[in-house]
Amino acid sequence: AQRVTQPEKLLSVFKGAPVELKCNYSYSGSPELFWYVQYSRQRLQLLLRHISRESIKGFTADLNKGETSFHLKKPFAQEEDSAMYYCAHPPNAGGTSYGKLTFGQGTILTVHP
Amino acid sequence: DTGVSQDPRHKITKRGQNVTFRCDPISEHNRLYWYRQTLGQGPEFLTYFQNEAQLEKSRLLSDRFSAERPKGSFSTLEIQRTEQGDSAMYLCASSPGRFETQGNTIYFGEGSWLTVV
C-alpha cells in the first residue's frame, strides 16, 4: 500500500532558525505530493503542491526521487508558522481517484519566540 | 464564507444512537469527499462523490455508515448504531473535479467532531 511517513510528531525551533519537516513516501510511478497545514482553530488547507514548484509563506519543498522524500523547508521560521503540517499524496495520478489523498500522521511545528 | 461548511460542528451521542452529518461543498465543485480523523492521526479517506454518484468507498466505511449526495450538491454522512470507536472528527472536502485546472487540490471544511459515550 502507498504510504506517507512523517517521522517527527513534534518539531520545535526558535524564531529565525531554519526548519525542515520531513516526509518520505512509498510510491510506484510519478508522485504528486502536497503539504497541507492546519493552524490553530482553522481548517486544514493546502500549503503547496510539488507540481507547481512554488514557494508559499517562505516554504519550499523539493521532490527527491532518489530518496523518495518531499521535505518542507523554510530558512527562517516565524512564530506564525506554528501549526500542524501534513504531507499527502494521491494513490495514483489522474484517473477517477484523484482528490483521494493519503496523509501522513502530521508534524506539530512550534516556533518559539 | 464561501468555503466548505459542515453541520453540526460538535455532536455527543450515546452508543447505539444514529447520527447524521451534513456537508455543503463550495458552490460548483463537482467532487465531494468524506474523511475521518482520529487524535494523533492524519485524515483517512472514507468516500467520495462525483456529482451525485458515489464512486469510491474505503474499507473503513462499514455497513453502519452511509453517505449520500442526492442532488449533487450537499452531502450527508449517517452513522447507525454508533460505537465508541466511531468517535472522531469527520471532515468533508470538495474539489472542482477538473484536473487541468486545479488537479488534486481539495478544500476542507472545519469538520464535525463526534463523541460517542
Side-chain angles (χ1 to χ4, degrees):
Chain A
Q2 312 294 359
R3 282 200 314 274
V4 178
T5 304
Q6 294 180 252
E8 303 145 326
K9 290 198 77 76
L10 300 169
L11 184 62
S12 290
V13 300
F14 285 99
K15 178 182 173 181
V19 63
E20 180 179 75
L21 293 93
K22 292 183 169 51
C23 171
N24 290 90
Y25 64 91
S26 64
Y27 197 95
S28 55
S30 298
E32 185 177 359
L33 290 149
F34 303 83
W35 278 98
Y36 276 78
V37 61
Q38 187 166 26
Y39 300 103
S40 178
R41 297 190 182 88
Q42 294 188 28
R43 65 189 68 199
L44 191 60
Q45 58 187 282
L46 178 68
L47 180 62
L48 56 81
R49 308 167 55 199
H50 101 274
I51 198 169
S52 55
R53 305 181 70 81
E54 57 198 345
S55 172
I56 302 293
K57 299 184 179 182
F59 284 97
T60 58
D62 292 321
L63 177 64
N64 185 323
K65 291 186 179 180
E67 296 181 357
T68 61
S69 69
F70 187 56
H71 302 330
L72 183 68
K73 300 177 184 179
K74 186 169 183 177
F76 307 104
Q78 303 300 314
E79 289 178 70
E80 55 265 30
D81 296 329
S82 296
M84 172 71 95
Y85 291 81
Y86 294 98
C87 185
H89 74 67
N92 55 280
T96 59
S97 292
Y98 56 84
K100 170 186 174 182
L101 295 174
T102 298
F103 285 85
Q105 289 187 310
T107 298
I108 299 173
L109 173 65
T110 303
V111 182
H112 300 283
Chain B
D1 187 350
T2 57
V4 178
S5 62
Q6 294 187 243
D7 182 71
R9 296 290 315 282
H10 300 89
K11 178 73 176 178
I12 300 174
T13 190
K14 292 184 178 179
R15 188 174 51 188
Q17 298 293 306
N18 299 343
V19 296
T20 299
F21 299 111
R22 176 182 168 122
C23 171
D24 287 272
I26 293 172
S27 178
E28 298 182 357
H29 275 192
N30 297 326
R31 295 186 175 215
L32 185 148
Y33 312 83
W34 285 100
Y35 284 78
R36 183 177 72 182
Q37 186 174 21
T38 52
L39 286 175
Q41 301 295 321
E44 296 173 292
F45 171 81
L46 292 179
T47 187
Y48 98 98
F49 293 83
Q50 171 78 36
N51 299 312
E52 67 274 10
Q54 188 174 17
L55 296 186
E56 189 169 345
K57 292 194 287 188
S58 161
R59 59 179 172 76
L60 295 175
L61 213 65
S62 76
D63 55 8
R64 296 185 297 104
F65 288 70
S66 62
E68 295 182 346
R69 195 183 182 195
K71 297 182 180 178
S73 56
F74 73 91
S75 174
T76 58
L77 176 68
E78 182 184 16
I79 309 174
Q80 296 181 324
R81 305 181 303 280
T82 52
E83 301 173 355
Q84 286 187 320
D86 297 331
S87 296
M89 167 83 89
Y90 291 86
L91 290 165
C92 180
S94 68
S95 71
R98 295 183 294 275
F99 182 77
E100 66 275 12
T101 56
Q102 297 200 34
N104 284 324
T105 303
I106 59 176
Y107 300 86
F108 283 89
E110 293 180 293
S112 293
W113 271 110
L114 173 65
T115 302
V116 181
V117 297

